[in-house]
Amino acid sequence: MTYADVPIDRDSINPAYKPRGWMRYALRGAAVYHLAWGALAIMMPATMLGWLGADGDGLALTLWQYIGLLVGLFGIGCGIASRNPTGHWLLLTIGLMGKIFTATGFALALSTGAVPMAIGWTVLTNDLIWMVPLALILWESAHTAHAVDSAHSEPEADDPMNDLRTNTGKSLNELANAHPQMIVFLRHAGCTFCRQTLADISLQRALIEETGCRLLFVHLGPEDAQATEVFRRYDVDDVPRISDPKCRLYRQFGLELGGFSQLFGLRVWLRGLIYGVVNGHGIGAIQGNSFQMPGVYLYHCGMILDGIRHELASDRTNYVDFARQIEQSPPAVSA
């Protein structure tokens, strides 16, 4: 799912995924600053270069005015984006890339002595200090884009326990009324952490089922040949599974979209290398909401008996020990 494909309804979206108030103020401030700087550079190029201790001949003055025009255009873009910070991600992406290229170009030119060090003050005030708010707004844009068109942006008025069906045609409640279910919420099929989960469950399956629990997978992709192949690879294709691309069951069990550190933190990257390369699980194409966090729950007769919400996308669980919680009869919480 690309951002451009997402029709975002700003009035109905969950408040948790609406733009933060500071974003509008930051973009308005950026608009005022860049427009003012651009106007000065166009009208007073020699004066500005003099402030920076740089000589200004005809070519340098013309180039400085051209830079002022580009900076002013970015200011206009910030003014437009301030009306809907997470909706104008393309404008902000182009702006952030421009600032990264400018800072990189300055560093290269400085290393060869082509520009004076004093120009660095312009790079600092025009580019470096604005990278952080732009990056944060773009992250929120990505977060919002993964929330829309899913249960995370809709009222909790549905009944996925009865509505959604497994690949064998049964609902979650039908299965849970017959036996306690260990519901394993996976991420998308290409996720190396999900493949590690399937490998762990394949090894522990007999011990898990000895506790009286039955296994059930919930995944984000469509129920197609690719999904079947992934489950078959780990010899768990006979375990019932529910395709939940709208994240309805995920939301019902309290599993949210992940934050940056939960999805892309250092520990996640290191574990990804271990699971994907060392353990040989690899990485596949994304199918489904790549921001969705996983988890595992014990569910029986309409009651959540226990559950684990993963703190990181890369977390692993001892599924045998968790299944044995069913024998300890912990306090139940209604789903």
Side-chain angles (χ1 to χ4, degrees), residues 68-237:
L69 176 62
L70 293 179
V71 171
L73 288 174
F74 177 70
I76 294 174
C78 287
I80 295 172
S82 68
R83 300 178 60 189
N84 184 1
T86 57
H88 291 287
W89 63 271
L90 183 56
L91 280 174
L92 300 182
T93 299
I94 294 172
L96 179 60
M97 291 175 62
K99 294 188 177 302
I100 292 172
F101 292 153
T102 299
T104 303
F106 168 74
L108 293 174
L110 184 65
S111 67
T112 62
V115 296
M117 182 62 188
I119 297 294
W121 288 107
T122 296
V123 175
L124 174 64
T125 57
N126 279 18
D127 302 299
L128 295 179
I129 65 174
W130 298 105
M131 288 183 186
V132 173
L134 288 175
L136 291 175
I137 293 171
L138 285 172
W139 168 256
E140 287 296 326
S141 298
H143 212 241
T144 298
H146 285 77
V148 299
D149 198 29
S150 78
H152 292 295
S153 64
E154 298 172 356
E156 295 187 26
D158 57 351
D159 185 16
M161 274 79 158
N162 291 307
D163 294 344
L164 296 181
R165 299 284 162 169
T166 68
N167 58 321
T168 60
K170 293 187 176 181
S171 70
L172 169 57
N173 275 340
E174 286 175 330
L175 294 173
N177 288 338
H179 300 281
Q181 300 291 313
M182 178 188 287
I183 310 171
V184 181
F185 288 88
L186 302 168
R187 300 184 68 235
H188 60 87
C191 175
T192 191
F193 308 125
C194 290
R195 298 180 182 196
Q196 182 65 63
T197 294
L198 295 178
D200 290 341
I201 288 177
S202 182
L203 290 173
Q204 302 172 23
R205 180 175 178 179
L207 293 175
I208 293 170
E209 293 180 343
E210 281 180 6
T211 67
C213 280
R214 297 293 183 267
L215 285 161
L216 172 67
F217 293 121
V218 180
H219 65 103
L220 294 163
E223 190 55 54
D224 57 11
Q226 181 177 347
T228 300
E229 180 57 33
V230 171
F231 288 103
R232 181 179 294 125
R233 173 181 173 182
Y234 295 98
D235 197 28
V236 290
D237 55 305

Side-chain angles (χ1 to χ4, degrees), residues 41 45-46 49 55-67:
L49 286 172
D55 296 329
D57 56 18
L59 179 60
L61 294 178
T62 301
L63 179 60
W64 197 253
Q65 289 176 314
Y66 176 69
I67 293 173

